[in-house]
Amino acid sequence: MSNTTSPEFFEAREVPLGGVRGVQVDRVLPQRGLPTLGAWCFLDQFGPDVAEMVVLPHPHIGLQTVTWPLAGEIRHRDSVGSDAILRPGQLNLMTSGRGVSHSELSIGTGPLHALQLWVALPADAAAGPAGFEHHASLPRYQDNGIDALVFMGTLGDAESPATTYSPLVGAQLDVTEATLPLRPDFEYGLLVVDGIVQVAGVELKPGPLLYLGTGRDELTISGPARAVLLGGEPFGEDLVMWWNFVGRSHDEIMAAREDWEGGDPSRFGTVAGHGADRIPAPILPNLRLKPRKQPVR
Ligand code: MN
């Protein structure tokens, strides 16, 4: 294997999630030293012991939301008319295009453990229409010692049917010991959600993201564990991220904020079933938002 990056740990931080009944989540991405991983630009982990998730209608631009429950069920409703119940092993994928709004509420009284990820859209798709996909059945990558569900992109011979706009992968790995095929042009990261793994010469427990960089054509993982592998071609663009918006300039973010606060239904639509309940945008900071520069590695 040639010239691979040393693995780097990025610790998650606890953040309060907005809303009427806010909960604490573990924010894994973005990080100061890792604004994107491929086109993956955001990763929050709820649980494993959250009792309830109530995320009222709120807007997005410039991204896809990828909702991946590990335990519990989530009801998704959005401004393109979707109303979908999501269970473990299934994918909800919402593409914001120029503007969309949605709500996500846990169902039932059991514990909830879920990952909420965002994928940054390239500029042309970010100017496009909104859409929603529910994938109840996803392809598996299977080999000795591994059974993986590929929810986005491609791993080995398994390709997710979910719509993507840049080369990437997102897969849930149930692994005892296996060697995965990787793409040297992708950068990769690994998050353990249950168990402990030995990988790339280090031990990885639940919590931090292990950044594995580019240049690897395979990766040996020893568990037993459940982990999530994320990867993709380095995104290459410096993004402005603020609240629920991913854009390319301060002015673009400010216009989206004004459209949401002004209730512009031509941009963000309405989410049925919530009446006037919605999450207001925070006050903009008194400075010009700047792109997060990609670090030099
Ligand atoms: Mn959202």
Side-chain angles (χ1 to χ4, degrees):
M1 209 180 304
S2 62
N3 214 11
T4 55
T5 328
S6 298
E8 195 176 341
F9 290 89
F10 287 92
E11 296 294 333
R13 59 193 185 282
E14 281 198 354
V15 296
L17 193 74
V20 174
R21 284 163 283 180
V23 295
Q24 292 280 125
V25 299
D26 287 327
R27 183 143 305 158
V28 182
L29 280 177
Q31 300 260 355
R32 188 175 297 278
L34 193 64
T36 52
L37 171 58
W40 300 99
C41 63
F42 182 91
L43 169 52
D44 267 0
Q45 182 167 194
F46 295 79
D49 299 312
V50 176
E52 189 182 35
M53 177 175 82
V54 179
V55 184
L56 292 172
H58 60 279
H60 287 292
I61 68 166
L63 58 86
Q64 293 176 294
T65 62
V66 171
T67 309
W68 187 253
L70 299 151
E73 298 184 353
I74 298 166
R75 181 180 181 187
H76 163 100
R77 282 170 282 182
D78 65 35
S79 57
V80 295
S82 317
D83 187 347
I85 291 176
L86 182 65
R87 301 184 171 88
Q90 304 179 342
L91 168 69
N92 271 2
L93 174 66
M94 185 179 73
T95 300
S96 76
R98 202 176 155 270
V100 75
S101 57
H102 73 146
S103 66
E104 291 183 296
L105 283 77
S106 56
I107 298 171
T109 53
L112 177 70
H113 189 190
L115 303 182
Q116 171 78 78
L117 303 112
W118 298 350
V119 178
L121 290 171
D124 55 343
F132 175 77
E133 299 169 23
H134 173 79
H135 295 282
S137 177
L138 292 164
R140 291 179 178 279
Y141 171 83
Q142 291 175 309
D143 199 355
N144 287 335
I146 188 159
D147 184 2
L149 270 177
V150 182
F151 51 87
M152 291 284 278
T154 304
L155 178 63
D157 54 5
E159 183 177 0
S160 167
T163 302
T164 55
Y165 294 89
S166 61
L168 54 78
V169 65
Q172 172 180 292
L173 319 176
D174 287 313
V175 59
T176 47
E177 179 160 350
T179 298
L180 288 176
L182 301 188
R183 281 178 53 164
D185 59 326
F186 275 22
E187 54 184 347
Y188 288 93
L190 194 68
L191 178 75
V192 172
V193 293
D194 190 27
I196 297 174
V197 304
Q198 308 291 329
V199 62
V202 300
E203 179 176 272
L204 183 63
K205 297 177 178 174
L209 179 82
L210 186 69
Y211 179 72
L212 294 155
T214 57
R216 297 175 191 270
D217 54 15
E218 61 178 31
L219 184 69
T220 299
I221 306 176
S222 302
R226 170 169 284 184
V228 171
L229 178 74
L230 300 176
E233 280 184 2
F235 194 65
E237 277 190 81
D238 295 329
L239 298 168
V240 181
M241 286 182 61
W242 182 80
W243 193 41
N244 291 305
F245 302 139
V246 174
R248 274 128 185 110
S249 71
H250 173 89
D251 292 345
E252 184 188 355
I253 299 292
M254 198 156 65
R257 182 188 183 281
E258 283 174 9
D259 287 343
W260 176 250
E261 289 304 284
D264 182 356
S266 69
R267 180 152 193 189
F268 292 113
T270 52
V271 184
H274 292 286
D277 287 347
R278 68 212 297 268
I279 302 179
I283 304 295
L284 265 179
N286 188 25
L287 48 80
R288 286 192 72 77
L289 300 168
K290 290 205 177 76
R292 296 170 190 233
K293 292 285 177 200
Q294 299 286 346
V296 178
R297 286 198 159 83

